[in-house]
Amino acid sequence: MDDLAATNRTDGGKGAADASAAPGTDGGPMPGGRAQPKTDKSEATRALILETAMRLFQERGYEKTTMRAIATEAGVSVGNAYYYFSAKEFLIQGFYDRMTHDHAADARRRMAHTRDFSERLQIALTSWLDTAAPYHEFAAQFFRTAADPTSSLSPFSNESHPARATAVELFRDVLQGSDLAPKLDAELVELLPDVLWLNLMVVVLYWVFDRTEDTERTREFVRRSTPMAARLINLSRYRVFRPIVRDAKGLIQDFILPTIGKAAVK
């Protein structure tokens, strides 16, 4: 029924008319059929729907939670729920957006008093694990949707650009606020935030499948791999390693960055 309702809305049927008339919904569209709130009331409604969905996903599981159930629990009409999230899958995008902002704020607060690059990077990665911890039980369900490379919900998609840009900017701060940044090649400094975000994606993938208590194995992976990555980046400033650095930059520019969506779909 949820899929049929979503189809009717896409086709401009009655569902679309209901959504346009929903109270407190005066924002324009966001990528992926999401509504962009423009008033405090509409922002509060969107946040309520998202928070309710996250709670129900934790209690019932993603597959067993319908948009109708989310709307009922949130105390809004089904049409209003679909106005903000055109299908249940797009709640994942809302989840990305919110968690990315929460992570960035937490990481910046934690690393405010250190300039050591390795420490700052480890703080940023550990902060992500702490921010995501409440959602680990159903992370694999989210991953099945997001892992499809053709899906707009992929972290590499154009639609995911806002959340990804927030995360990349955090890693830019990790580097620029460190004592290492002034010592590195300027072009490498420009590329590294994207590479550090890709490193986070590796951590996320490991975390999704980690079933140890408090995802301790992933935390240990971060503790051991981060100093190694920091040392490799630090070595790049020495002349003897410049040819390798140039080759690495070429690979990143030619094969990695072009696969990442750069802007949200209009």
Side-chain angles (χ1 to χ4, degrees):
M1 291 299 293
D2 285 342
D3 292 339
L4 178 60
T7 302
N8 289 338
R9 271 175 288 279
T10 301
D11 293 340
K14 184 177 183 296
D18 289 343
S20 64
T25 53
D26 53 352
M30 291 175 69
R34 296 171 290 149
Q36 174 63 64
K38 289 187 178 180
T39 68
D40 290 343
K41 181 179 179 181
S42 58
E43 176 59 39
T45 301
R46 184 178 186 275
L48 174 62
I49 294 168
L50 182 58
E51 288 166 7
T52 301
M54 293 301 106
R55 176 172 59 81
L56 292 181
F57 290 161
Q58 288 176 296
E59 294 174 358
R60 306 177 185 181
Y62 176 75
E63 299 296 340
K64 294 182 179 179
T65 302
T66 65
M67 286 293 282
R68 183 171 297 278
I70 292 168
T72 299
E73 286 285 323
V76 301
S77 69
V78 177
N80 209 0
Y82 272 114
Y83 175 83
Y84 289 103
F85 301 96
S86 64
K88 187 174 70 170
E89 290 79 5
F90 287 104
L91 285 158
I92 300 175
Q93 195 74 63
F95 165 74
Y96 286 162
D97 294 343
R98 188 179 71 173
M99 203 185 83
T100 301
H101 281 89
D102 290 347
H103 166 226
D106 180 69
R108 288 188 173 100
R109 177 183 58 79
R110 294 191 193 191
M111 66 184 184
H113 302 296
T114 180
R115 295 197 64 221
D116 181 82
F117 173 71
S118 181
E119 290 182 19
R120 289 172 68 86
L121 181 56
Q122 183 164 331
I123 286 170
L125 295 175
T126 301
S127 170
W128 189 93
L129 294 175
D130 291 340
T131 304
Y135 310 105
H136 185 254
E137 288 303 313
F138 54 87
Q141 296 173 330
F142 282 172
F143 180 76
R144 281 200 298 271
T145 302
D148 181 354
T150 64
S151 171
S152 61
L153 301 183
S154 164
F156 297 91
S157 71
N158 287 332
E159 288 84 354
S160 294
H161 175 74
R164 185 173 58 250
T166 298
V168 170
E169 191 60 30
L170 168 63
F171 286 110
R172 192 178 308 280
D173 287 352
V174 168
L175 180 61
Q176 295 285 10
S178 75
D179 52 9
L180 179 60
K183 305 173 184 177
L184 298 178
D185 178 87
E187 189 176 355
L188 184 60
V189 169
E190 184 61 29
L191 288 175
L192 270 176
D194 286 292
V195 176
L196 295 175
W197 175 79
L198 288 170
N199 178 60
L200 173 62
M201 292 299 99
V202 173
V203 172
V204 171
L205 178 61
Y206 197 94
W207 174 84
V208 164
F209 296 101
D210 185 357
R211 289 296 175 261
T212 58
E213 185 175 356
D214 194 29
T215 59
E216 180 54 37
R217 194 165 180 83
T218 305
R219 294 175 184 276
E220 182 63 18
F221 175 75
V222 168
R223 282 192 289 267
R224 291 175 59 178
S225 65
T226 301
M228 185 187 308
R231 284 196 295 270
L232 288 173
I233 293 170
N234 185 49
L235 286 173
S236 71
R237 63 195 177 98
Y238 295 107
R239 186 179 299 276
V240 67
F241 293 105
R242 287 299 173 86
I244 298 175
V245 172
R246 283 196 295 270
D247 289 343
K249 286 193 296 188
L251 285 172
I252 293 167
Q253 290 172 321
D254 295 341
F255 293 98
I256 296 178
L257 295 185
T259 67
I260 303 175
K262 290 299 182 184
V265 173
K266 301 297 185 183

